[in-house]
């Protein structure tokens, strides 16, 4: 403090007796020196995350500097998408949407059947370059976005048809299971054998032992079951058509006792749900390689249904 104030005093002393123009220049230099010095002291002496006189914030060293809701507790979804799925000091957290679709470009073909699923769900891409990078999409399972997603409530995560399995850490798998077990959320798995294997490999189920679902193809049509009555699926088609080889279900014998089968054919369930404590997993056995009205209705009805 003494050092830079002494410098200001020296500048003013040298200006004494000088012409008026030189005096004005000296005063201006002294003022600028004082402002910069005070700002530097405020920045160095302030606590973590405090704002300096120049309006610049020092970078917080750890998560304790973030607001309490960013590190614990329930997180509701908001209709904003500035953060693009990543935490940043400028934009804050990724605002969680009611419907989020996993969209890892290494695993999901953005120009294939997954794009039909996106269009049916009404999920918009970025307006400028049409990329799947808004908060309606989760780019990878290990992203920070899943941490916020796992604390959401009464929301839906969609796993579209994919051709390569995602890389998932143990922590990410735990958060994915917390999402469905604790918050009353729904995971909608769309597609064929890869979707069934995704459930078998990653989801723990209510008892913690996971699932052993057996994928099987069978000819359609697929008939609505009595269990659909009282659910959103009662408003679906009485029978769902088979679309070449794009329909894959599971044997009813491999379903756990708590499962609810909504559409079947020849002891193969093509649409079913797996209750998981507060939430559930919902499987729709069609890849959406084509826009078929009856199947489109089923996907939309899945959004209306509730695990409770």
């Amino acid at each position: 403090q003494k050092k830079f104030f002494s410098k200001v005093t020296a500048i003013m002393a040298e200006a004494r007796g000088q012409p008026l123009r030189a005096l004005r220049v000296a005063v201006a230099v002294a003022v600028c020196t004082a402002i910069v010095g005070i700002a530097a002291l405020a920045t160095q002496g302030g606590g973590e995350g405090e704002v300096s006189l120049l309006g610049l914030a020092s970078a917080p060293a750890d998560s304790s500097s973030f607001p309490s809701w960013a590190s614990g507790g329930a997180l509701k979804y908001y209709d904003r998408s500035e953060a693009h799925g990543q935490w940043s000091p400028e934009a804050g957290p990724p605002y969680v949407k009611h419907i989020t679709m996993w969209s890892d470009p290494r695993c999901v073909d953005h120009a294939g059947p997954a794009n039909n699923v996106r269009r049916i769900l009404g999920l918009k891409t970025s307006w400028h370059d049409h990329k799947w990078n808004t908060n309606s999409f989760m780019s990878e399972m290990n992203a920070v976005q899943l941490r916020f997603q796992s604390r959401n409530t009464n929301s839906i995560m969609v796993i579209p048809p994919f051709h390569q399995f995602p890389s998932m850490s143990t922590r990410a798998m735990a958060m994915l299971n917390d999402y469905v077990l604790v918050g009353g959320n729904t995971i909608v798995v769309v597609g064929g054998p890869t979707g069934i294997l995704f459930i078998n490999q990653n989801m723990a189920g209510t008892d913690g032992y996971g699932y052993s679902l057996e994928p099987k193809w069978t000819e359609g049509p697929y008939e609505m079951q009595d269990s659909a009555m009282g659910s959103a699926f009662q408003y679906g088609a009485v029978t769902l058509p088979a679309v070449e080889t794009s329909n894959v279900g599971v044997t009813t014998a491999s379903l756990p006792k708590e499962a609810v089968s909504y559409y079947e054919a020849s002891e193969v369930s093509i649409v079913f749900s797996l209750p998981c404590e507060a939430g559930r997993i919902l499987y729709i056995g069609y890849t959406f390689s084509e826009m078929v009205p009856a199947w489109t209705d089923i996907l939309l009805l899945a959004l209306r249904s509730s695990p409770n």
Side-chain angles (χ1 to χ4, degrees):
Q1 289 176 328
K2 292 180 179 179
K3 188 174 182 179
F4 85 82
F5 278 122
S6 298
K7 188 173 183 180
V8 173
T9 304
I11 293 172
M12 295 302 297
E14 291 177 4
R16 289 176 186 152
Q18 299 295 324
L20 181 60
R21 182 178 179 182
L23 182 61
R24 289 175 178 173
V25 172
V27 171
V29 171
V31 171
C32 291
T33 303
I35 291 175
V36 172
I38 294 171
L41 286 173
T43 303
Q44 293 171 4
E48 280 189 347
E50 291 187 359
V51 178
S52 70
L53 295 182
L54 297 180
L56 302 176
S58 56
D62 53 45
S63 59
S64 63
S65 299
F66 296 142
S68 59
W69 52 262
S71 55
L75 182 68
K76 301 294 184 181
Y77 55 86
Y78 298 86
D79 189 22
R80 295 180 62 183
S81 57
E82 289 86 348
H84 293 296
Q86 299 294 328
W87 175 275
S88 68
E90 296 81 16
Y95 290 91
V96 181
K97 309 286 275 187
H98 177 51
I99 302 173
T100 305
M101 190 166 89
W102 172 57
S103 62
D104 191 335
R106 296 167 297 183
C107 309
V108 178
D109 183 3
H110 292 185
N115 193 44
N116 286 337
V117 173
R118 179 195 67 79
R119 291 168 58 197
I120 294 169
L121 298 176
L123 303 181
K124 297 181 179 179
T125 57
S126 57
W127 69 271
H128 180 64
D129 49 15
H130 304 292
K131 290 184 178 181
W132 297 25
N133 61 359
T134 70
N135 280 355
S136 294
F137 304 97
M138 187 168 65
S139 60
E140 59 176 302
M141 289 296 180
N142 295 318
V144 67
Q145 190 175 4
L146 184 58
R147 174 158 61 94
F148 295 93
Q149 190 77 20
S150 65
R151 298 199 302 271
N152 203 11
T153 57
N154 301 312
S155 67
I156 299 170
M157 181 186 297
V158 179
I159 308 297
F162 61 93
H163 57 269
Q164 181 174 322
F165 278 88
S167 171
M168 189 180 303
S169 65
T170 303
R171 184 169 180 267
M173 192 179 299
M175 288 190 292
L176 186 66
N177 279 278
D178 281 346
Y179 173 79
V180 69
L181 289 169
V182 178
N185 301 296
T186 298
I187 294 180
V188 178
V189 180
V190 181
T194 54
I196 297 168
L197 291 176
F198 178 89
I199 298 173
N200 287 344
Q201 292 184 6
N202 300 309
M203 307 311 300
T206 302
D207 59 5
Y209 289 97
Y211 301 98
S212 299
L213 304 173
E214 298 178 7
K216 187 176 182 180
W217 176 88
T218 188
E219 290 183 321
Y222 310 102
E223 303 173 22
M224 181 188 290
Q225 304 298 296
D226 292 341
S227 55
M229 296 298 104
S231 74
F233 294 109
Q234 70 178 343
Y235 302 106
V238 176
T239 58
L240 295 174
V243 185
E244 298 180 352
T245 58
S246 298
N247 301 100
V248 177
V250 303
T251 61
T252 54
S254 68
L255 288 172
K257 62 181 180 180
E258 69 271 14
V260 181
S261 178
Y262 301 110
Y263 285 88
E264 294 180 11
S266 304
E267 298 183 345
V268 172
S269 177
I270 204 76
V271 180
F272 61 86
S273 66
L274 302 169
C276 300
E277 295 187 8
R280 67 172 177 173
I281 302 166
L282 185 60
Y283 174 79
I284 299 175
Y286 177 49
T287 63
F288 289 87
S289 56
E290 301 177 25
M291 291 287 205
V292 179
W295 282 105
T296 298
D297 290 345
I298 291 298
L299 181 54
L300 292 174
L301 289 171
L303 307 182
R304 293 177 54 188
S305 57
S306 170
N308 301 318

